[in-house]
Amino acid sequence: MTERWRNSLLFAGMAALLVAVGVFQSSNLALAILNLCLISAIMTLGVNIQWGYAGLFNAGVMGFTALGGLAAVIISVPPVTEAWTAGGVRAVSGLCLGVLAIALGILTWKKLALNKTARGWASALIVVIGVVVMRWVIDPAVEAIEAVEPAKTGFLGGFGLPIMFAWMAGGALAALAAWAIGKISLGLRSDYLAIATLGISEIIIYILKNEDWLARGVKNVNGLSRPVPYEIELQSTLWVQSLASRIDINLIELSSIIVKLCYAGLFVVVLALIYWLSERALRSPWGRMMRAIRDNEIAAGAMGKNVTSRHLQVFILGSAVIGIAGAMLTTLDGIFTPSTYQPLRFTFLVWVMVIVGGSGNNLGSILGGFVIWFFWIEAEPLGLGLISFLTSSMAEDSPIRIHLLQNAAYTRYITMGAVLLLVLRFSPRGLIPERNR
Amino acid sequence: MIDILNALALLANFVIVPALAYGSQLALGALGVTMIYAVLRFSNFAHGETMSFGAMISVLATWGLQEAGITIGSLPTALLALPISIIATVCVCLLFDRLVYRYYRTQKAAPVTYLIISVGVLFVLSGVIRFIIGPKDQIFADGQRFILKARAFKEMTGLDQGLAIKTTQGVTVVTAVVIVALLFWFLNRTRTGKSMRAYSDNEELALLSGINPARVVMITWIITGALAAIAGTLYGLDKGYKPFTYLGLVLPIFSAAIVGGVGNPVGAIFGGFVIAFSEMLLTFAYKRVIAYLTPGDWVPDGLMQLLATDYKLAVSFVILVIVLLIKPTGMFSGKTL
Amino acid sequence: MSLLEGQAMFGGYGAADILQDCTIAIDKGEVVVVVGPNGAGKSTAMKALFGMLNLRKGSVFFNGEEITSMLPQERVRLGMGFVPQNSNVFTSMTVEENLEMGAFIRRDDYSESIAQVFRLFPALEEKRSQPAGELSGGQRQQVAVGRALMTNPDVLMLDEPTAGVSPIVMDELFDRILEVAKTGIAVIMVEQNARQALEIADRGYVLVQGQNRYSDTGAALLADQNVRKAFLGG
């Protein structure tokens, strides 16, 4: 069987699974899964650029995803003018001061003609003073902003632009964070990058949860604008009504399906674009060099390739792709909820997708994103079914049975871990292995 | 003079005592990470969940003991449950080593492969934990709540500020001291402990000296499992057992290990306390301390807090970043026990 | 039969054989030196004798017993002591702990062996509780030799013991090695400093491209015109 056939078969099988959900459960659910599959596939492509092309372990996927979500808020929400007058300028200038202080600190560390200890203390002093000044500037502003109708706004709002722009902005924001973290931890031992990214992602979530003036924190920002029509609008449109009666389907359900299809269309376009670009990059001299570095860092370094700066490039690119996916996810949800970002779901699950799909192979990554997301969702009813079958001999009201059924949803964590371990052990190259070019 | 003592009591109550307890928990956790790194040479991302697993077993065993009416007076029953938890956690570690990690040793896999494997283990463990005990909080500390009550301290000293020491805090620090002493005795005084250090220092030469690597690896997992069970239980006892918090502990624990120099046990302990004290000192509101220390009735306007309490985690991250920038090998250079 | 003998050894690390029909033998109480140009396979021959490399052809005998497929650790138990060229001490462990680790396979009381090593290398006794990594290069080599002696081996194998030490230290190290040999332990070493090594050797082998080129007593090799010209710089 040729590779092309095999891959087509795998994807056809995946499509069949989705269709089966549409037939046996509901087409709405199938489309909902499909949309998240598409987003997962984009995230997986991002991680694959880092891991598959360069062997970098990014344990902070969650953080970059959340930054994408933040971008969706900042770009699409109209500015809260009251909040801006209350303390907008002050808050922004405070932020700028903070950035300036850190930049100055770094400059001092790098450029000042002193010995290492003196430079260290000097730059530490600058940063500390900077932070104190920043706090002094920003704190009253934050208080004022958060006091503006806290139940409805209490934050600065954004630019009020169409939310599609956020997809690019999310990429840019994630790239910026990746640049900073890559500068610090690349070039050191490989697991330092993992730990540093794990850290930055936790902190991004903390900031998003706590800085209410930025994106309302745990109060969430809901009602984000959409790139596609609303269900209500569709329901009052004539062609939708006539279509509903022609194929004999509930109008509300149809409108929801149409919305999901619109999203799916947009996501497919983005996915295809990113896939095409990543494939081009992989085949280019740049991609060949990246893989050469991955396979033998020492030799590549000896040949005069600047390994660290190449790694930085690839790390930024991959993170940007993850940021784009994050913005798309928040767009799809229509609501930005910082408390939903969990490392297991947003970082480590994406890793399972990459490994299962086939590290180093973009097509594999996409397939991995689809398959794992599908089973992540479907493992819940499956786990429940399994547990109720296993415990069917117990009494209906047995406390153990009730307890097990309550926690049945968590079997999917076990399943995912087991899948990852099994694939690594018995088929470490994944569903669609990397091609040897 | 009284004012200075009051300020000190205030600091002791809100910074020093909690930081000592938290630092002990982090130090025990970081010791586990460092042992794995020194011998098996990878960063074990699943260590937080291993701790959580140990704590869960302690919770369950405590319930069982309480049900059976077995307690130890004013001390938490969890102390009695600890041996059970240690055995269970060690078994889990050995099981995962046998089923998962061992194969990759024969393959001489790269450290980053181990890292991904530990993510798989992390998934499985967190699923098992939530499946067994559910995602909700469990409080299992019993016995007397305080060793020293704030009011008793005030009456004793006549100060305005109280100093309270929770039983869990006392138990944590004492247990940590005992465990660390035992560990260092083992590593520095026993033949097996020395062979572990030798293996960690120079694998090839250890092989030539007739040290059995399989045995060293097994003992490493036993020690790591025990440390994880103890650290997890103490943390849960002190703060209440919440399954999801343990994943968040991975960051401060790794920071602690790296600050001290990964692979170095002294460094791990040092790092644990550096992280704990920095967190507490940076997020403490100094308003009242300053009020005591300044003459007259002057009280500062703000809370005089450097960092909001919510940003505790950021402290360990910033410390991590500073160490990575200035001395990536840590204060005590690592890689050896 | 010799105490330790590698017969007609062929083998290497990858596809190509480094050793091409190499035979090395050592008798009780002898000091044997293996010299030769860079890349001649001297260290490889030593590793082959100690089982750190799989032989494709040929065999190794120790005390008349065939040990060709035995693991290095098992050879240590039989009575072979090996001092690798690089990282041959536990740098983070004290001198004394290094010696203890050398005696790891011994279950009896080895305090006499430690005392013996300290008699041989008095400088080490003063530094017994210092980490070996903090010692000078020459003292480190002493620790490495001492570690290998802790199993009371019948044969001591040294892979370039004088690499990277000053000439004075080298002379002292050779003196110590002769003293070791006097206690009845056979010593075989690979040496870069061929002339000095052959001066203290009972017998010597000159390897070229993994093959025995000359083998004779140390004095005879030193006197041999061809050997002098080609390998000893005239």
Side-chain angles (χ1 to χ4, degrees), chain B residues 130-256:
Chain B
R130 283 158 178 76
F131 184 61
I132 294 177
I133 203 165
K136 286 196 282 290
D137 303 1
Q138 316 284 354
I139 291 170
F140 64 114
D142 55 1
Q144 213 176 323
R145 243 175 80 69
F146 289 100
I147 297 175
L148 179 64
K149 283 195 180 139
R151 196 196 296 161
F153 178 83
K154 283 189 210 167
E155 280 165 9
M156 226 157 56
T157 57
L159 292 176
D160 293 340
Q161 285 303 325
L163 171 64
I165 300 175
K166 286 196 286 179
T167 312
T168 52
Q169 290 169 334
V171 166
T172 298
V173 174
V174 171
T175 317
V177 169
V178 170
I179 294 300
V180 167
L182 273 176
L183 182 67
F184 278 87
W185 171 81
F186 171 76
L187 286 176
N188 293 313
R189 291 277 176 273
T190 65
R191 193 174 107 96
T192 311
K194 284 179 193 173
S195 74
M196 269 177 79
R197 285 168 52 214
Y199 183 85
S200 154
D201 183 311
N202 189 334
E203 212 175 311
E204 191 90 326
L205 197 60
L207 282 176
L208 292 183
S209 305
I211 294 169
N212 179 359
R215 205 174 111 88
V216 169
V217 168
M218 190 180 81
I219 291 165
T220 306
W221 279 114
I222 291 175
I223 294 175
T224 308
L227 283 171
I230 296 165
T233 305
L234 291 178
Y235 184 79
L237 207 53
D238 197 15
K239 311 250 157 78
Y241 176 66
K242 306 181 186 74
F244 70 88
T245 52
Y246 285 83
L247 194 55
L249 270 184
V250 171
L251 178 63
I253 283 177
F254 270 106
S255 303

Side-chain angles (χ1 to χ4, degrees), chain A residues 35-47 61-72 166-172 174 267 270-271 274 317-333 341 345-346 350 353:
Chain A
N35 278 334
L36 278 166
C37 281
L38 289 165
I39 291 177
S40 301
I42 297 176
M43 281 187 198
T44 319
L45 279 179
V47 174
V61 180
M62 169 178 79
F64 299 113
T65 312
L67 281 180
L70 175 67
W167 298 3
M168 277 178 285
F267 293 167
V270 177
L271 176 63
I274 291 177
L317 278 178
S319 301
V321 171
I322 299 168
I324 293 171
M328 292 164 66
L329 181 69
T330 304
T331 308
L332 176 67
D333 290 342
Y341 292 99
R345 151 74 182 90
F346 282 96
V350 179
M353 293 171 180

Side-chain angles (χ1 to χ4, degrees), chain C residues 2-209:
Chain C
S2 301
L3 175 66
L4 173 66
E5 187 166 345
Q7 288 175 347
M9 299 185 289
F10 286 78
Y13 305 98
D17 286 348
I18 295 171
L19 298 181
Q20 309 264 5
D21 191 9
C22 166
T23 296
I24 289 174
I26 173 166
D27 282 318
K28 248 184 147 65
E30 258 189 334
V31 175
V32 170
V33 168
V34 182
V35 296
N38 277 333
K42 305 184 298 279
S43 290
T44 312
M46 194 73 121
K47 285 184 177 146
L49 284 176
F50 196 62
M52 290 169 80
L53 131 116
N54 291 329
L55 286 184
R56 203 172 50 74
K57 241 165 78 182
S59 37
V60 182
F61 292 90
F62 183 68
N63 264 333
E65 185 188 347
E66 167 145 23
I67 56 166
T68 315
S69 57
M70 211 177 243
L71 288 173
Q73 299 92 289
E74 295 170 327
R75 298 183 199 217
V76 172
R77 279 170 212 278
L78 283 186
M80 295 169 70
F82 183 72
V83 180
Q85 183 185 347
N86 298 313
S87 46
N88 49 19
V89 295
F90 299 109
T91 49
S92 67
M93 302 178 86
T94 65
V95 170
E96 197 166 4
E97 284 172 334
N98 265 280
L99 299 182
E100 284 174 37
M101 284 303 108
F104 188 78
I105 54 169
R106 288 180 60 180
R107 284 302 192 163
D108 54 339
D109 182 16
Y110 49 71
S111 48
E112 180 47 35
S113 302
I114 291 192
Q116 219 174 329
V117 170
F118 284 154
R119 273 201 294 281
L120 195 59
F121 304 115
L124 294 186
E125 185 155 22
E126 288 164 37
K127 314 213 157 168
R128 62 196 295 165
S129 15
Q130 243 186 56
E134 291 174 5
L135 302 182
S136 67
Q139 285 171 342
R140 259 197 223 213
Q141 292 295 26
Q142 295 181 3
V143 175
V145 173
R147 190 201 61 82
L149 287 175
M150 285 301 294
T151 47
N152 287 340
D154 297 327
V155 57
L156 180 66
M157 309 170 69
L158 305 162
D159 192 355
E160 299 206 17
T162 62
V165 302
S166 69
I168 301 167
V169 175
M170 182 176 81
D171 285 344
E172 189 188 339
L173 212 54
F174 279 152
D175 285 347
R176 302 290 163 210
I177 289 167
L178 281 180
E179 256 174 69
V180 171
K182 269 188 213 142
T183 62
I185 299 174
V187 175
I188 173 166
M189 61 178 167
V190 163
E191 257 304 324
Q192 203 66 259
N193 302 305
R195 184 189 292 274
Q196 291 88 332
L198 285 174
E199 273 165 12
I200 64 161
D202 295 319
R203 281 192 306 115
Y205 289 90
V206 181
L207 293 193
V208 176
Q209 292 183 339

Side-chain angles (χ1 to χ4, degrees), chain A residues 297-316:
Chain A
E297 227 168 84
I298 297 155
M303 271 151 51
K305 311 285 180 205
N306 188 339
V307 176
T308 307
S309 79
R310 298 293 159 184
H311 277 172
L312 187 63
Q313 279 176 357
V314 93
F315 185 65
I316 291 174

Side-chain angles (χ1 to χ4, degrees), chain A residues 192-207:
Chain A
Y192 281 178
L193 177 71
I195 295 160
T197 44
L198 181 81
I200 191 80
S201 73
E202 298 270 4
I203 288 178
I204 289 171
I205 304 302
Y206 263 64
I207 293 177

